Amino acid sequence: MKTDIKSLTLEQLNHAVKELSLPAFRAKQIFKWLHEIGCTSFDEMTNLSKELRNKLSENYYISRCDIEDKYVSSIDDTVKYLFRLTDGEFIESVVMKYSYGYTICVSSQVGCKMGCTFCASTLAGFTRNLTPGEIESQIHTAQSDLGIRISRIVMMGIGEPLDNFENVLDFLNNVNNENGLNISMRNITISTCGVVDRIYDLMDKNLQLTLTISLHAPNDEIRSRTMPVNKRYPIDTLLKACREYGEHTGRRVSFEYTLIKDINDSEQDAQELSQRLKGSLCHVNLIPVNDVKERCNVRSSKETIIKFCNVLKRNGINATIRRTLGADINASCGQLRHLKRGDMNENSR
Ligand code: SAH
């Protein structure tokens, strides 16, 4: 079995180059081809001899993701990709245009094990982790298809990034490298449903990225009903980890709170949430629940959402209501799916 050369960090590539008895400067050259340019074949690496390219391809392959389908929103130019991986699995990614540039929402796993009751990504279960190279290839393929440069990354696509911890770290390392995409940690957001042990592991890395927690409930009763991960890591444990994370890294932790009618959107819920978050340096993003056809969650009314937001603000909690992008192409939060071969027509949008 060949190894995916795109999943190696520069440090690992240095070792690999040594093992092939190549001069050390080759590592940086190859790294640039893979990560700055986004090559999908060794033949594109024109400053390497044919012999060297052959040697590389005898030992390695380059992970990639190819466009199986593409949907462009007619409302806001958001683009959703259905990508096919080398082994025939599928993932989805979304590119959003903001006044400050392009942001990509990448997937970290094929499917998801977390089982949140409002989310489409978990419906078809979990198949496998994405490799660091596959996570990054979503950016390269989107960039070259759209002819743009992406400046921000949110890990809010399919999968739980902290459940694929080592690969996500290597991915971050590579996109952050100045010989690669050179995207600063401050322009990267990782979203987690609350895998507390890994939050501490991430804290130890002391990265300047933004950590955001999918909270979605003010208490354990509601949260355990909608997010199975809460049974393992209850809210108090999670919020304690967030406080320590914030203190240790100096980075404000954000919370996502999806508002679902009659589930978690009452004034009492807003008060309870305020009490829990009081005193911690944080920001709450309120998201009107997006439609997932297999689920019967109903969006809270505009008035309810504004009222909820105002309760938080009156209690001194930073809160904003998130604008929904890509609504006409099912590209919004929680709508990305783990499609399997054969599902395409049924899910054609
Ligand atoms: N597994 C990670 C990354 C996924 S991010 C996590 O849970 O954070 C996707 C975000 O969309 C999460 O905040 C998720 O809870 C939220 N989400 C899921 N389903 C949704 C829906 N139907 N409407 C709005 N947001 C949803």
Side-chain angles (χ1 to χ4, degrees), residues 25-155:
F25 72 92
R26 291 291 184 201
K28 205 182 266 182
Q29 256 180 350
I30 297 168
F31 190 91
K32 281 183 171 227
W33 282 117
L34 293 169
H35 300 280
E36 186 178 50
I37 313 291
C39 281
T40 50
S41 90
F42 292 107
D43 285 338
E44 292 170 57
M45 304 182 176
T46 46
N47 59 358
L48 308 186
S49 68
K50 183 98 179 92
E51 192 191 350
L52 174 48
R53 283 183 257 153
N54 286 343
K55 197 167 184 177
L56 289 173
S57 63
E58 276 159 23
N59 291 278
Y60 296 98
Y61 75 96
I62 304 174
S63 62
R64 56 191 290 162
C65 54
D66 295 311
I67 302 172
E68 176 78 16
D69 223 331
K70 176 182 172 184
Y71 312 87
V72 183
S73 166
S74 50
I75 306 171
D76 50 42
D77 292 335
T78 295
V79 179
K80 178 167 81 169
Y81 289 102
L82 175 64
F83 286 129
R84 189 181 55 259
L85 305 171
T86 326
D87 63 352
E89 295 292 344
F90 296 101
I91 50 167
E92 294 192 315
S93 321
V94 178
V95 178
M96 294 154 289
K97 190 179 176 182
Y98 291 101
S99 54
Y100 45 78
Y102 288 94
T103 298
I104 189 165
C105 171
V106 294
S107 292
S108 56
Q109 295 179 316
V110 179
C112 185
K113 313 174 187 158
M114 297 298 149
C116 302
T117 59
F118 37 78
C119 186
S121 302
T122 199
L123 286 167
F126 171 80
T127 301
R128 67 173 176 87
N129 283 326
L130 293 185
T131 64
E134 287 171 332
I135 305 175
E136 190 181 352
S137 292
Q138 298 168 62
I139 308 174
H140 286 130
T141 306
Q143 282 198 155
S144 69
D145 178 58
L146 297 171
I148 57 164
R149 170 133 173 80
I150 287 167
S151 53
R152 284 166 196 264
I153 303 168
V154 295
M155 302 205 75

Side-chain angles (χ1 to χ4, degrees), residues 112 114 116 118-120 155-161 191-194 212-214 216 227 256 258 287-292 297 322 333-335:
C112 185
M114 297 298 149
C116 302
F118 37 78
C119 186
M155 302 205 75
M156 292 193 180
I158 299 165
E160 168 50 51
S191 181
T192 176
C193 62
T212 159
I213 309 291
S214 299
H216 307 321
M227 300 181 69
E256 316 270 82
T258 296
I287 311 165
V289 74
N290 294 308
D291 192 37
V292 174
N297 290 316
R322 181 179 288 169
C333 293
Q335 293 185 314

Side-chain angles (χ1 to χ4, degrees), residues 257 259-260 262-271 304 308:
Y257 194 104
L259 286 155
I260 312 173
D262 298 333
I263 303 282
N264 62 0
D265 67 345
S266 72
E267 187 165 346
Q268 194 193 331
D269 293 332
Q271 291 291 0
T304 307
F308 198 98

Side-chain angles (χ1 to χ4, degrees), residues 245-261:
Y245 186 95
E247 282 159 19
H248 185 83
T249 61
R251 302 286 294 160
R252 182 177 77 167
V253 175
S254 294
F255 295 97
E256 316 270 82
Y257 194 104
T258 296
L259 286 155
I260 312 173
K261 185 173 185 304

